[in-house]
Amino acid sequence: MAAMDLFGRRWALRVTWELRGGPLGARALLARCDGMSSSVLYQRLRELTSSGIIAASADGYELTPLGAALRDALRPLEEWAHTWAREQEHNNREPMET
C-alpha cells in the first residue's frame, strides 16, 4: 500500500504523468501542473526520486524504468478517461427532459 500512499498525494501522479513524453525541467513541470505551488512540486520530486519512480538528469527529471512501467500500467486508465470524457460531453449536449 506504500504505492497508494505515494500516488494518493496531491500532484504525485500528475507529475509522473507529465514526464511520460520525456524529461522536463522543474519550470516546465510547474507550468504543466497549473495550480501547483513550487514548494509542493519540489516535495513531490523528492518523494518520487527517493521512490525510484523518477530521476534527475541533465535535461531535468525523467521516468526511470520503474516509472516507465507505471506509465505503461496507466495506459488503460487513460483510454478509460477518454471514453468517460466523451460520454460526459455527449450527456451534456443532450436536451434536458421537461
Side-chain angles (χ1 to χ4, degrees):
M1 293 280 80
M4 295 301 280
D5 290 338
L6 175 63
F7 291 110
R9 294 180 185 143
R10 189 167 188 192
W11 299 106
L13 195 55
R14 176 69 182 270
V15 168
T16 305
W17 180 250
E18 293 300 338
L19 294 173
R20 74 192 182 282
L24 291 172
R27 286 183 191 218
L29 278 167
L30 198 57
R32 289 181 181 211
C33 298
D34 189 36
M36 180 173 46
S37 70
S38 59
S39 62
V40 171
L41 172 62
Y42 287 108
Q43 178 67 34
R44 294 304 168 263
L45 291 173
R46 281 191 298 276
E47 294 166 350
L48 292 166
T49 299
S50 69
S51 299
I53 305 298
I54 66 172
S57 72
D59 297 322
Y61 292 89
E62 62 188 355
L63 295 175
T64 62
L66 189 59
L70 174 63
R71 176 198 59 212
D72 295 342
L74 290 173
R75 282 205 173 107
L77 180 59
E78 178 185 18
E79 292 169 10
W80 177 88
H82 287 298
T83 300
W84 176 80
R86 284 191 301 272
E87 189 70 26
Q88 293 299 305
E89 184 178 308
H90 175 73
N91 289 341
N92 289 334
R93 283 188 280 164
E94 290 183 3
M96 294 181 68
E97 293 183 27
T98 58

